[in-house]
Amino acid sequence: MPEFKIEGDALRREARFRVLSWGSVLLLLGVTVLLFTLGVSGDLSASPDLGWLFVLTGLGTIIGAYVLASRESLHFAERQMVFVLNDNEIVRKRKGYPDVKIAFSEIATLREELRWLIIKTAVPYRKIAIPNTVSGYDTICAELAKHQPLSARVERVEIPLKTTALLAAAILCWAAVMWFSDVRVVILSATGGLITLAIGSHSVWAMLHSRVRRPLLWASLGCAWLMAILLIYLRVVHL
């Protein structure tokens, strides 16, 4: 039975993008730390423009670091996946997780979403997502298309309602932290922002595995938490 997984060339291409992403977040972090130093010395309070710049770079660092953490966990999961194609079914294997099997006769939906091939069943519901960086991706598509027509390519990803609600709540909370001057409102909004960050961090944790140790992943989440706490501290102190 042929097995398909992500090969070294795809990992090297991914590494270039990771370097660029980390460079951007580190640049934002450096600017934020510089502005924090100015704030401690008193120069930040004398210039409202610098204060708003600190808020924007701090938020950019929080969001960028969280996005990097999510991407790290997703790419790590992808590298652990192995797809097996036999005469009757396709199987997704991943260490530490049960195999997901979908027989060709059970396929209800087969379509491409951005860089993924999405395979779904009806009842009981199961789903296998295959990244296009997997070796033999075209072979997998061609074989599955013999049993279920490949739907039109989707150029956007449907964001789950839970993710949309969490993102909206996070934006509202952090916007309130920046906008309002009442310390009680700021503290309440900051608490809400930290709760959304905790829920997102837990989702990243669950996407991986509790035993997995990924320095870049934890560095990303740590950076997001550090900037969130720093932003709250300076906001409260300068009210």
Side-chain angles (χ1 to χ4, degrees), residues 32-43:
T32 305
V33 171
L34 175 61
L35 293 175
F36 173 72
T37 304
L38 293 175
V40 172
S41 64
D43 296 332

Side-chain angles (χ1 to χ4, degrees), residues 60-77:
T61 305
I62 294 171
I63 295 172
Y66 176 73
V67 169
L68 279 180
S70 300
R71 288 185 62 86
E72 281 292 320
S73 60
L74 180 60
H75 288 320
F76 180 78

Side-chain angles (χ1 to χ4, degrees), residues 39-95:
V40 172
S41 64
D43 296 332
L44 190 62
S45 58
S47 176
D49 291 338
L50 286 180
W52 279 109
L53 181 58
F54 170 79
V55 169
L56 293 176
T57 56
L59 284 178
T61 305
I62 294 171
I63 295 172
Y66 176 73
V67 169
L68 279 180
S70 300
R71 288 185 62 86
E72 281 292 320
S73 60
L74 180 60
H75 288 320
F76 180 78
E78 290 177 9
R79 292 192 290 271
Q80 284 190 318
M81 293 179 187
V82 176
F83 301 92
V84 179
L85 193 65
N86 57 38
D87 295 335
N88 303 308
E89 62 185 4
I90 183 166
V91 183
R92 191 211 69 189
K93 297 177 177 290
R94 184 182 172 192
K95 185 178 180 181

